[in-house]
DNA sequence: TTGAAAGCGTTACCAC
DNA sequence: GTGGTAACGCTTTCAA
């Protein structure tokens, strides 16, 4: 725990000035510093285990190389996590670091969080939300290059907020592809058991579902389009109700709001003595880590491009920082259809 | 995006010197600065929306009020997330901020991560791992007050590493309490289907399980103590094998390695036409967010005290920073028995 | 009660 | 080719 070596220590040891140390260590020694001085400097730096103090450098450069992340639920949810991981990876590859603060669902706290981050002189900001969300953009976000990951500015946001780059999953296409997958397997009686319409994603996916049905010339049974929640228990309940009908009258395929609800649907089918996917196909949504792929049977689903959302948000911010004019407005990232073993050909009946 | 106001701007506007501004804003105005000057300063600060530049302050104070978190898998896993959330909450309540970097499973990268964090002049460090782990402590961690969350120093760590505070779940007691819960429900034929012995947690929980059985005078069937993995599929497989035996010869209760494996066990029971918990009880471990509590039936489990582990690790570091001599060595945090509906009285047979 | 000055560690500029 | 100096924004000490 001895004090860290400074450039001055290195200079002294090498018998040169601090400026020389700075030049050499930043790769601009050639043409400015004598060869043997350079060697002495490098040697001294290595011996003292010297690395520049990033804080001092930040102050001097007026840029911290830190991007602030504000998240409404970063840590307790595996979703934000993926977004943050993507953002962090891109940042790191460009010599930046991310400073994440979690408001733990307390929407008021984001003002504070942004302020703290700004005080720390972050060079840019990204707001990350768990589910696709409308967001009242906190004022301070417009003070530096910023982006919205998995959310978009609400109309009552401060002026200018609507021009922020907003990276979102392409939910319409996702819903469409999920339905098209089932239709391709011969299903005609498909139920859309979305999560909760309080999330804008559900209506978008429903629109995609309806488009796919229309393309195939299939009718949509309106009593099979319903809210079945985001959790195992409500998914279980909704599926039980639907699947209790006799074979010819029940859906042959269930489109769940997310993977956990789909797990509930698979459990419900098992309870009713129905085999998945022989008697009924079940699709999830999200491709949630640690759930979808390890389920029995492994869940067919639509993968949310969370990591890419994080990456693109960071690219937008870093791009603006590099002087490339700021990216503007929404950017839709495709969701990837991920068929596994919970979907199969429609039963004969 | 206009430049932020500095203390000098405030001073000019209030017609005083920078020192006065600093004194007043740090609450030491009384007795040093005239009342009306104080008011003018406060007013000017508010008008200019002034807050001190944390970077400059860090440089000046030689302390950044940042604690670095190194995690082997912070973000993609819901586990590290809880630990980080706990650590972050404690840090924030004390005016600190956390800077998290994820090595994304690349053990070599932690050296780099620590170095980056140290370059940023973090005041302390915490290493966070997903599962209870032996850890080769990276050299640099000893340069500042540090703690290990959910891990402990391996023998080949640098000297001094073994004295680091190490916050761990009390797995032995956790395993004991899980078994005791089942025994209390009248079960005598209990299978211990641990995860993988590559995790030190499994042997500890097994020890607790054996202790509880011994206390109750119950024999342990050695062929019912086995590795059943961490995922739904292997849990499913292991339970299927065990539960296929006739009623009198199969276990009446299954102790799973974690919640996901337990989900597989519940699925296996359902497949075999067994009701949980009437015919067989199933316990998980971890109390994993978004899995255990929403399962059908809701899973009885043992809750890992992840949030508290994060909190205690942060307290240890902050305590050392406050001059309180550093905490030393391991600290075991109790795991909480969390009975729900997947366990019930032992069947009559 | 106030203001001037030093210093934290860095880098860029400018004399030498 | 080299080294001194200023500046980033802050806090603290010291002198007026």
């Amino acid at each position: 725990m001895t004090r860290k070596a400074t450039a001055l220590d290195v200079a002294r040891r090498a018998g040169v000035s601090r400026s020389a140390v700075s030049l050499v260590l930043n790769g601009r020694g050639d043409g400015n510093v004598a060869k043997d001085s350079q060697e002495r400097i490098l040697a001294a730096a290595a011996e003292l285990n010297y690395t520049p103090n990033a804080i001092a450098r930040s102050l001097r450069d007026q840029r911290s190389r830190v991007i602030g992340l504000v998240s409404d639920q970063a840590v307790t949810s595996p979703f934000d996590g993926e977004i943050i991981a993507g953002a962090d990876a891109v940042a790191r590859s460009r010599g930046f670091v991310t400073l994440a603060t979690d408001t733990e669902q307390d929407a008021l706290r984001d003002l504070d969080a942004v302020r703290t981050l700004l005080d720390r002189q972050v060079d840019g900001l990204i707001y990350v939300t768990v589910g696709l969300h409308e967001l009242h953009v906190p004022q301070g976000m417009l003070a530096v290059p910023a982006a919205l990951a998995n959310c978009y500015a609400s109309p009552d946001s401060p002026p200018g907020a609507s021009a922020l780059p907003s990276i979102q999953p392409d939910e319409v296409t996702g819903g469409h592809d999920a339905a098209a997958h089932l239709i391709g397997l011969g299903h005609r009686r498909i139920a859309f058991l979305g999560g909760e319409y309080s999330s804008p994603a559900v209506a978008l996916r429903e629109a995609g579902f309806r488009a796919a049905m229309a393309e195939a010339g299939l009718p949509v049974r309106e009593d099979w389009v319903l809210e079945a929640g985001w959790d195992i228990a409500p998914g279980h309940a909704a599926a039980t109700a639907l699947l209790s009908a006799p074979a010819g009258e029940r859906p042959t395929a269930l489109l769940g709001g997310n993977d956990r609800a789909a797990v509930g649907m698979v459990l419900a089918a098992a309870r009713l003595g129905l085999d998945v996917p022989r008697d009924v196909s079940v699709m999830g949504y999200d491709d949630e880590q640690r759930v979808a792929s390890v389920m029995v049977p492994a869940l067919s689903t639509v993968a949310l491009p969370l990591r890419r959302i994080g990456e693109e948000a960071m690219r937008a911010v870093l791009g603006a920082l590099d002087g490339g004019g700021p990216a503007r407005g929404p950017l839709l990232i495709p969701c990837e259809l991920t068929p596994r073993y919970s979907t199969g050909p429609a039963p004969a009946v």
Side-chain angles (χ1 to χ4, degrees), chain A:
Chain A
M1 199 147 150
T2 70
R3 284 247 290 77
K4 257 196 73 177
T6 77
L8 184 56
D9 298 325
V10 176
R12 274 207 264 265
R13 191 181 186 96
V16 298
S17 75
R18 289 183 303 204
S19 341
V21 173
S22 175
L23 284 173
V24 170
L25 262 37
N26 288 307
R28 290 183 300 132
D30 287 347
N32 291 311
V33 178
K35 270 273 172 285
D36 62 328
S37 290
Q38 294 200 33
E39 281 170 25
R40 282 204 317 280
I41 289 170
L42 257 12
E47 286 168 34
L48 294 174
N49 216 324
Y50 169 78
T51 47
N53 178 325
I55 296 249
R57 203 206 288 251
S58 297
L59 183 60
R60 155 80 217 195
D61 293 350
Q62 297 292 83
R63 53 159 7 185
S64 59
R65 300 199 147 257
V66 176
I67 303 297
L69 264 29
V70 181
S71 127
D72 62 347
Q73 207 187 72
V75 280
T76 47
S77 126
F79 295 107
D80 272 22
E82 275 295 314
I83 298 180
I84 292 176
D88 190 56
V90 169
R92 197 171 38 227
S93 76
R94 304 242 226 136
F96 282 73
V97 144
T98 56
L99 189 51
T101 65
D102 191 329
T103 66
E104 303 210 48
Q105 303 275 51
D106 182 346
L108 277 348
R109 214 160 72 196
D110 62 5
L111 263 174
D112 240 28
V114 168
R115 145 89 34 144
T116 302
L117 258 11
L118 253 14
D119 286 350
R120 300 249 169 204
Q121 310 297 115
V122 294
D123 293 338
L125 282 168
I126 298 178
Y127 203 118
V128 181
T129 58
V130 175
L132 182 60
H133 242 286
E134 186 173 88
L135 174 76
H136 177 82
V137 176
Q139 177 62 247
M141 284 210 56
L142 302 168
V144 292
L148 307 177
N150 216 20
C151 50
Y152 49 90
S154 69
D156 63 339
S157 293
S162 57
L164 286 178
S166 158
I167 325 294
Q168 307 166 33
D170 186 349
E171 303 278 11
V172 176
T173 308
H176 172 278
D177 292 354
H181 167 64
L182 294 170
I183 294 169
L185 288 167
H187 294 272
R188 302 178 51 84
R189 299 203 305 280
I190 305 176
F192 180 87
L193 304 182
E196 296 172 17
Y197 282 89
S198 56
S199 159
V202 177
L204 297 171
R205 292 173 194 174
E206 183 191 328
F209 161 72
R210 287 182 186 277
M213 294 294 273
E215 278 167 22
L218 294 175
V220 172
R221 285 249 329 230
E222 295 302 333
D223 55 331
W224 286 356
V225 175
L226 28 90
E227 257 182 330
W230 298 122
D231 279 329
I232 295 181
H236 185 273
T240 300
L242 244 50
L243 295 178
S244 298
E249 291 164 29
R250 63 178 182 238
T252 64
L254 269 27
L255 228 43
N258 65 2
D259 292 334
R260 275 173 307 134
V263 168
M265 296 173 194
V266 171
L267 287 171
R271 280 270 165 117
L272 293 169
L274 299 176
D275 184 80
V276 176
R278 202 191 56 221
D279 302 315
V280 58
S281 286
V282 177
M283 280 210 76
Y285 208 106
D286 294 353
D287 195 20
E288 184 174 347
Q289 305 290 322
R290 320 171 67 83
V291 174
S293 60
V294 296
M295 176 66 191
V296 179
L299 209 57
S300 298
T301 191
V302 176
L304 241 24
L306 297 170
R307 203 177 167 94
R308 267 207 66 202
I309 288 177
E311 292 171 351
E312 293 302 334
M314 186 57 78
R315 286 204 185 96
V317 170
L318 262 23
L321 241 28
D322 282 353
R328 304 187 125 249
L331 172 62
L332 294 185
I333 311 291
C335 298
E336 193 178 359
L337 179 69
T338 308
R340 294 202 180 92
Y341 300 104
S342 66
T343 52
V349 183

